[in-house]
């Protein structure tokens, strides 16, 4: 049974974010880094036939999938572009969201400045990012679990702790923080966690880079699939106003 509790937690934070954004009929909603269009249909339902949804992503393959998923949905427009230079007219967006994208971009502050430029006064903006310092993986070898988290934070993710900085960065960009919340997705299935958190892939990289002893790392990873599994991390959601 894969992706059960983690999937429920994922759906819960997305639903909470959409609710907090208070999207209304006739508004223009922007999804920055929309990927394959996972959230576009929900946004389109909220803005209604009189509203519009703009999905922006820099990956043509992701946009192609998003077009397939949103085919027939009125008011959904997909645009290829970079979050650092949003292809959106200034002051035209009522609601915006960026979900687990800032941790990967070159300059998070520059992306938030673009969101400030694109939104109208009174707009609401939803930001969601993890804090990978909070990644916990249960294992008898606690020190290797800690070493794995340190490697993930230091080497794997560009801005690994940006979740804790969202409120500060939002205010520095000129927004007012309305809400800050934390969700902790829980993984009880090893295969699900390995897929989502890159346990095997990142451990192998850590070993090859000399951060973790080879034999110890292999024993740690092999032991994760034996018996009860548990892993979790913190996901921070911030809603701010323009």
């Amino acid at each position: 049974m894969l992706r059960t509790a983690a999937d429920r937690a994922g759906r819960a934070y997305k639903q909470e974010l959409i609710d907090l954004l208070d999207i209304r009929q006739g508004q223009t909603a922007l999804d920055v880094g929309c990927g394959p269009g996972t959230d576009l249909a929900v946004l389109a339902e909220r803005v209604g036939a009189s509203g519009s949804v703009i999905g922006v992503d820099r990956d043509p393959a992701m946009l192609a999938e998003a077009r397939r998923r949103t085919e027939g949905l009125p008011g959904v427009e997909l645009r290829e572009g970079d979050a650092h230079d949003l292809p959106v007219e200034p002051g035209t967006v009522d609601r915006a969201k960026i979900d687990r994208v800032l941790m990967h971009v070159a300059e998070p502050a520059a992306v938030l400045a673009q969101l400030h430029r694109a939104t109208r006064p009174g707009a609401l903006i939803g930001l969601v990012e993890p804090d990978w310092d909070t990644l916990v993986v249960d294992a008898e070898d606690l020190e290797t679990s800690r070493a794995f988290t340190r490697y993930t934070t230091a080497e794997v993710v560009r801005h690994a702790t940006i979740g804790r900085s969202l409120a500060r960065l939002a205010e520095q960009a000129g927004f007012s923080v309305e809400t800050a919340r934390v969700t902790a997705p829980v993984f009880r299935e090893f295969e699900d966690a390995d897929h989502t958190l890159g346990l095997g892939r990142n451990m192998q990289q850590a070993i090859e880079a000399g951060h973790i002893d080879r034999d110890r790392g292999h024993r740690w990873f092999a032991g994760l699939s034996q018996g009860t599994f548990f892993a979790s991390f913190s996901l921070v959601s911030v809603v701010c106003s323009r």
Side-chain angles (χ1 to χ4, degrees):
M1 183 175 60
L2 302 182
R3 319 195 91 176
T4 51
D7 264 2
R8 285 195 296 272
R11 288 193 298 270
Y13 92 80
K14 283 180 175 290
Q15 182 65 52
E16 180 181 65
L17 183 70
I18 295 296
D19 290 343
L20 288 171
L21 283 175
D22 188 28
I23 302 169
R24 302 177 184 180
Q25 299 277 311
Q27 291 183 328
T28 296
L30 171 66
D31 190 356
V32 179
C34 67
T38 305
D39 300 330
L40 296 178
V42 175
L43 296 175
E45 180 183 3
R46 295 295 180 102
V47 301
S50 59
S52 61
V53 175
I54 303 169
V56 175
D57 205 279
R58 68 177 185 177
D59 187 337
M62 288 291 185
L63 288 174
E65 175 62 17
R67 288 190 181 92
R68 186 191 69 79
R69 290 187 178 189
T70 59
E71 186 176 3
L73 285 179
V76 175
E77 182 182 358
L78 296 165
R79 302 178 184 177
E80 185 175 345
D82 192 283
H84 297 86
D85 186 20
L86 289 173
V88 179
E89 290 298 313
T92 56
V93 172
D94 301 291
R95 299 290 187 267
K97 61 177 283 291
I98 182 164
D99 182 353
R100 294 166 299 150
V101 173
L102 291 176
M103 64 177 172
H104 299 302
V105 303
E107 296 290 343
V111 173
L112 291 175
Q114 284 288 299
L115 280 170
H116 194 275
R117 180 189 65 84
T119 48
R120 310 178 197 271
L124 291 178
I125 299 89
L127 315 171
V128 182
E129 298 293 334
D131 188 323
W132 289 115
D133 259 356
T134 64
L135 173 63
V136 294
V137 181
D138 180 49
E140 292 186 6
D141 185 353
L142 179 58
E143 287 307 312
T144 298
S145 287
R146 287 172 169 162
F148 178 82
T149 295
R150 288 195 298 270
Y151 177 76
T152 300
T153 302
E155 305 293 338
V156 177
V157 184
R158 178 179 268 175
H159 304 291
T161 60
I162 194 168
R164 73 183 69 175
S165 305
L166 284 179
R168 172 171 53 83
L169 291 172
E171 290 191 345
Q172 290 175 350
F175 297 113
S176 297
V177 174
E178 305 293 336
T179 304
R181 302 190 180 186
V182 175
T183 302
V186 171
F187 298 82
R188 296 296 307 278
E189 302 287 342
F190 164 73
E191 293 86 354
D192 183 17
D194 187 28
H195 172 79
T196 304
L197 304 176
L199 300 176
R201 179 181 67 251
N202 292 335
M203 174 54 78
Q204 188 59 38
Q205 292 174 0
I207 290 170
E208 293 173 357
H211 291 268
I212 296 175
D213 174 77
R214 181 175 299 275
D215 290 341
R216 190 167 182 174
H218 286 165
R219 284 197 302 272
W220 178 86
F221 180 71
L224 296 180
S225 61
Q226 308 299 316
T228 302
F229 180 85
F230 178 92
S232 184
F233 67 94
S234 295
L235 193 63
V236 181
S237 299
V238 168
V239 173
C240 48
S241 59
R242 165 81 154 79

